[in-house]
Amino acid sequence: MRPRRLAAAVTALGLVAAGPTVTGGTAVAHGRGYSALIQRASYGVPHITARDFASLGFGVGYAQAEDNVCLIAEQMVTVNAQRSRWFAADARNVSSDLFHQKAIDDRAAERLLVGPRDGLRSPSNEVRDQIRGFVAGYNAYLRGAKTITDPACAGKPWVRPITELDVWRANWARMVRASSGALADGIVAAAPPVTNGSSAPSATNGSSAPPRADGTSAPASAPQAEAVVAARDGAPAGVGSNAYGLGRDATASGAGMLLANPHFPWDGAERFYRMHLKVPGRYDVEGAALVGDPLVEIGHNGRVAWSHTVSTARRFVWHRLTLVPGDPTSYLYDGQPRKMTARTVTAQTPGGPVSRTLYDTHFGPVVVVPGRFDWTAQAAYAITDVNATNNRALDGWLAMGRARSVGELRAVLDRRQFLPWVNVIAADRDGRALYADHSVVPRVTGSLAAACIPAPFQPLYATSGQAVLDGSRSACELGRDPDAAVPGILGPANLPTLVGSDYVTNSNDSYWLANPARPLEGYPRIIGDERTERSLRTRLGVHQVRQRLAGTDGLLGKGFTTGKLWDVTLGNRAYGGELVRDDLVRACEAQPTATASDGTTVDLTAACAALRGWDLRVDLGSRGAHLFTEFALAGGLRFADPFDPAAPLNTPSRLAVDDPRVRTALADAVRKLAGIPLDARLRDIQTEPRGTERIPIHGGRAEAGVFNMIIGVLQPGVGYPKVRHGTSFLMAVELGRNGPSGRQILTYSQSANPNSPWYADQTRLYSGKGWDTIKFTEQQLKADPNLVTYQVGERHH
């Protein structure tokens, strides 16, 4: 059935394409035009070959538009500050539009393109060509498509041709995802206090929010910014990952091996897209990128494979501003007053324009987080966002794709310092493994922190890595490390790196235990914490490697093959259950009633039985897994023994059975699951909709100690009928002498379009723990029984 559907799709596409010729398997451009060869393999994965980066970009833009035109179109609505115009004019969209309109007015994206085109001071010609081609390919699809079949945007006026500037704006937004972008509502909320004795002006846009000194109404809160401040580290909300880099000592063959397992949203602009991109002799990389991005961001070439996990480092610093008495929009700097820059920013909504006056300092924007970072008559707070000027990322990923060894990959990281908010885990053909948090991190050294973080803010820095610097002294500017790519960030010598022939791992805790045999210590606190308790997911991740190397995990033999790596990753162990389930059941059976947090007495008899029968996994056939998940989410995993930094993988581990909050959490879980059998199979209650089909989904929550993270939204009385976030692109690749091999999958499938043949196929595959194979070599690709080839292109006029 699939080959016929593919052929029908390609026939339609052939009418759109400009018909370039093909020579030797590579598309040849028509003079100065674009031309690319697209080979669609099983599950709709495009393998795109072109003679130059402009044509490669054309092929990428065209293929991504075929599969996800609505996602890309919506991204462009967002970065052009038009969400309120085309979608709901709610508080979140208005805040987003004001933030992005400010970036447009500031020419944030245009500034990225100024300077010598060396990939460090501004993007290279290769990357600019890739972007130019991507735009042309996307627009060619729009012009040629008779109709858009995705109901999410079919016939919508906000689907339009895009420009190169649109894509650069989207790139800038990706860079500030964990900094300015995460604080957007706090930037929009920032307003000076109304001075005593003056009457507060009325709001001008019909809002009931409190009045601001500029006469408009201010948001009553900034929930996104509040979440950033409350977070234990700098990882952006809603994303995470696991990754293993396995060296020669950890694999059965002695070749390097990599596990890529990013945990990202299953819907929206942060979906991954699988692709294989090739410019013969210059670039050849298979893997995945976020939809709308033109280059592979997680993947492999013929000799090196890499993945990313979200780093704990902070991407911005606070500056406490000492305000000039009587003038809350001026601040003192080395004893001299400096005036803030005030700018009125306007967002268009169906109900009329909404305007705010936003404020900047020489550090960056003023931000308000109610109750934590307030703007008073005496003080205000601004941030320096070190990713706001990061124009190095696309060239960095391009250079990563060309690295031939872990050593070369490390040199790319050292020289370019481009990764906005992620670690790198990598392995190479020679059996070397690499961990590095070489992300873009503000230059807060130990000495700067000691001298410039005022005493009241030192505990915040110690616990969360948020640095609040004295903004009144030039001595407290970020400065420059001699080996840093740009001013204001930590240089490579101050960033944690580990290379070896055994293994490295990361599951979103800090760098400290990338390999517990060789802890990384002594780095600035702003990057992450050391000698502190690790998450259950981190601990299980390390245990899984160690047990596989020892052959004690129940699988045959010792060491990893790609098959064993796949089996371990999707083994679906719930480490929290392994630690405490037996003690919990004993306590439950000894006293089978408990008081819920609302004071209700709850009968725990059925819960005790469900937990006793649970297999300690989150497989489709696991019964009672959801009960333990809700117990963990209710705060039931409380331990009696303390964390021991000398035994970080095994402590804490004993359930605090005498803590009444443990029983309360179990009672609350039972109440929350009312109407759902406590011993239900996971397959019957955790699903992903595809049309009228409900595909069973295995995996579970990190709070329960699950490695294969899946987050569903509980619907009372029903279960978890939709996945929100979790395992997305999954790849287990071995870098053998005959080329890369292994397994890969995109859990939510290649296309978000319900009318696409590639809307549900990989989701069903994931449900059965199946896989697609690595198809890097010509031989591997030609062996695909569903391979369909077509050309796309466009002449320049």
Side-chain angles (χ1 to χ4, degrees):
M1 184 64 181
R2 184 178 295 114
R4 288 198 296 276
R5 295 176 72 183
L6 282 165
V10 172
T11 298
L13 297 173
L15 298 174
V16 178
T21 57
V22 180
T23 302
T26 301
V28 179
H30 291 300
R32 296 178 57 208
Y34 305 103
S35 183
L37 178 73
I38 299 179
Q39 295 172 283
R40 288 270 188 179
S42 291
Y43 308 105
V45 178
H47 296 248
I48 304 170
T49 305
R51 74 170 190 178
D52 55 37
F53 283 95
S55 286
L56 186 67
F58 186 95
V60 175
Y62 197 97
Q64 288 200 18
E66 289 180 289
D67 298 330
N68 292 298
V69 63
C70 297
L71 296 183
I72 299 173
E74 185 176 345
Q75 282 183 50
M76 301 313 162
V77 170
T78 299
V79 300
N80 282 288
Q82 295 182 334
R83 293 195 66 84
S84 301
R85 177 185 178 189
W86 297 116
F87 310 133
D90 56 26
R92 190 179 184 94
N93 281 341
V94 170
S95 177
S96 170
D97 287 347
L98 291 167
F99 172 75
H100 285 288
Q101 188 61 52
K102 179 181 186 296
I104 292 168
D105 294 346
D106 289 343
R107 298 177 61 83
E110 290 91 333
R111 293 170 188 266
L112 300 179
L113 306 178
V114 176
R117 300 183 177 192
D118 56 6
L120 289 171
R121 289 168 290 184
S122 84
S124 68
N125 285 328
E126 288 179 327
V127 162
R128 292 170 193 251
D129 285 347
Q130 183 85 359
I131 295 291
R132 174 168 55 85
F134 182 93
V135 168
Y138 177 91
N139 290 341
Y141 170 78
L142 279 189
R143 283 194 304 272
K146 293 181 179 179
T147 58
I148 291 174
T149 63
D150 189 341
C153 68
K156 302 295 186 182
W158 47 269
V159 181
R160 59 164 178 82
I162 64 175
T163 68
E164 292 171 53
L165 185 56
D166 290 332
V167 178
W168 285 114
R169 285 174 178 165
N171 177 254
W172 179 83
R174 297 265 204 234
M175 296 301 101
V176 300
R177 168 75 164 77
S179 43
S180 299
L183 294 167
D185 57 357
I187 293 171
V188 171
V194 178
T195 56
N196 291 331
S198 64
S199 59
S202 301
T204 61
N205 60 352
S207 171
S208 60
R212 297 157 50 117
D214 63 5
T216 67
S217 59
S221 64
Q224 292 170 272
E226 291 166 14
V228 171
V229 173
R232 64 184 292 267
D233 57 40
V239 291
S241 307
N242 300 315
Y244 291 154
L246 303 173
R248 70 176 73 95
D249 299 338
T251 65
S253 68
M257 195 176 294
L258 178 91
L259 170 70
N261 180 208
H263 303 148
F264 268 61
W266 276 39
D267 299 286
E270 290 183 320
R271 281 173 60 117
F272 279 98
Y273 185 80
R274 288 177 56 195
M275 55 189 183
H276 178 192
L277 308 182
K278 185 175 182 178
V279 177
R282 299 171 67 185
Y283 183 78
D284 190 0
V285 178
E286 180 184 23
L290 295 177
V291 170
D293 288 351
L295 288 165
V296 172
E297 291 155 341
I298 293 176
H300 65 90
N301 58 31
R303 301 183 64 94
V304 180
W306 69 92
S307 190
H308 298 303
T309 58
V310 174
S311 159
T312 58
R314 295 282 176 176
R315 311 300 160 189
F316 64 92
V317 295
W318 298 94
H319 303 273
R320 185 185 186 278
L321 308 175
T322 301
L323 302 181
V324 174
D327 183 0
T329 60
S330 295
Y331 59 100
L332 296 172
Y333 188 72
D334 285 342
Q336 299 299 312
R338 287 198 177 192
K339 192 71 178 174
M340 295 178 187
T341 300
R343 180 183 295 110
T344 299
V345 177
T346 300
Q348 302 299 326
T349 77
V354 175
S355 296
R356 298 278 188 271
T357 301
L358 306 183
Y359 295 85
D360 280 291
T361 69
H362 79 281
F363 299 113
V366 180
V367 183
V368 163
V369 181
R372 299 295 297 272
F373 294 97
D374 291 304
W375 192 339
T376 68
Q378 293 77 39
Y381 298 87
I383 64 163
T384 293
D385 179 351
V386 292
N387 269 319
T389 54
N390 182 1
N391 57 4
R392 305 176 300 280
L394 291 178
D395 275 288
W397 274 305
L398 183 64
M400 285 182 73
R402 291 166 159 168
R404 296 170 296 179
S405 67
V406 155
E408 287 189 12
L409 188 64
R410 181 176 181 178
V412 169
L413 300 173
D414 285 352
R415 179 170 183 261
R416 297 182 179 275
Q417 290 199 268
F418 65 94
L419 293 170
W421 31 265
V422 290
N423 303 295
V424 176
I425 293 85
D428 65 18
R429 180 188 291 183
D430 296 326
R432 303 285 285 174
L434 164 75
Y435 165 84
D437 189 343
H438 270 38
S439 54
V440 178
V441 186
R443 185 185 170 276
V444 181
T445 61
S447 58
L448 185 73
C452 289
I453 297 178
F457 297 103
Q458 286 286 350
L460 180 66
Y461 185 62
T463 57
S464 74
Q466 289 185 82
V468 182
L469 302 176
D470 182 350
S472 70
R473 293 186 287 147
S474 60
C476 294
E477 295 274 6
L478 291 175
R480 180 164 192 168
D481 276 355
D483 59 341
V486 294
I489 66 174
L490 292 171
N494 275 322
L495 298 170
T497 306
L498 190 64
V499 178
S501 60
D502 45 4
Y503 71 91
V504 293
T505 177
N506 184 264
S507 293
N508 303 128
D509 276 322
S510 77
Y511 53 85
W512 178 43
L513 297 182
N515 184 319
R518 293 177 288 154
L520 293 164
E521 297 181 345
Y523 292 92
R525 176 62 184 85
I526 194 169
I527 308 173
D529 52 2
E530 301 170 6
R531 301 181 67 78
T532 58
E533 186 176 339
R534 303 290 94 174
S535 73
L536 294 176
R537 180 160 60 91
T538 289
R539 290 164 60 181
L540 176 60
V542 176
H543 285 315
Q544 288 178 160
V545 174
R546 289 183 160 185
Q547 290 164 2
R548 175 84 298 266
L549 299 187
T552 59
D553 58 0
L555 302 175
L556 295 176
K558 298 180 180 180
F560 282 95
T561 63
T562 53
K564 294 291 196 305
L565 184 53
W566 198 262
D567 292 343
V568 165
T569 303
L570 299 184
N572 287 331
R573 293 168 60 182
Y575 184 57
E578 293 177 14
L579 292 177
V580 310
R581 189 274 305 270
D582 291 350
D583 286 341
L584 178 60
V585 168
R586 280 191 287 269
C588 179
E589 292 176 339
Q591 188 178 348
T593 60
T595 303
S597 55
D598 65 357
T600 304
T601 299
V602 177
D603 183 352
L604 300 180
T605 304
C608 303
L611 290 171
R612 178 173 289 284
W614 177 38
D615 63 3
L616 301 177
R617 296 183 185 266
V618 284
D619 283 328
L620 294 182
S622 297
R623 292 183 177 274
H626 58 302
L627 174 59
F628 187 82
T629 295
E630 294 300 336
F631 165 73
L633 291 174
L637 277 175
R638 298 181 179 276
F639 294 101
D641 53 327
F643 167 73
D644 181 358
L649 298 178
N650 296 311
T651 58
S653 62
R654 288 188 293 106
L655 183 67
V657 292
D658 295 328
D659 187 329
R661 292 172 295 181
V662 172
R663 299 181 59 79
T664 296
L666 185 56
D668 287 345
V670 171
R671 296 257 299 165
K672 194 171 183 180
L673 292 170
I676 302 170
L678 298 181
D679 63 347
R681 298 180 304 173
L682 193 62
R683 71 176 306 115
D684 296 326
I685 58 171
Q686 181 167 281
T687 58
E688 173 68 8
R690 287 293 182 267
T692 59
E693 184 180 4
R694 296 291 181 265
I695 301 174
I697 300 296
H698 54 87
R701 298 289 292 251
E703 291 87 346
V706 177
F707 190 71
N708 178 30
M709 191 168 79
I710 291 289
I711 297 176
V713 179
L714 178 64
Q715 183 175 328
V718 175
Y720 311 86
K722 177 76 185 77
V723 177
R724 185 179 68 203
H725 168 98
T727 289
S728 52
F729 177 57
L730 181 60
M731 178 179 70
V733 59
E734 180 175 359
L735 299 154
R737 294 295 169 185
N738 295 321
S741 62
R743 304 177 178 185
Q744 56 186 331
I745 196 172
L746 191 62
T747 55
Y748 36 68
S749 302
Q750 191 79 345
S751 176
N753 178 1
N755 292 309
S756 167
W758 307 306
Y759 174 63
D761 49 357
Q762 291 186 75
T763 310
R764 298 185 192 103
L765 191 67
Y766 170 78
S767 179
K769 298 188 179 180
W771 63 87
D772 189 18
T773 56
I774 298 293
K775 297 183 178 71
F776 183 77
T777 67
E778 285 294 321
Q779 183 179 10
Q780 289 168 332
L781 184 58
K782 288 178 179 178
D784 189 313
N786 297 313
L787 189 66
V788 175
T789 299
Y790 56 102
Q791 306 94 34
V792 294
E794 181 177 81
R795 290 182 176 87
H796 286 182
H797 299 289

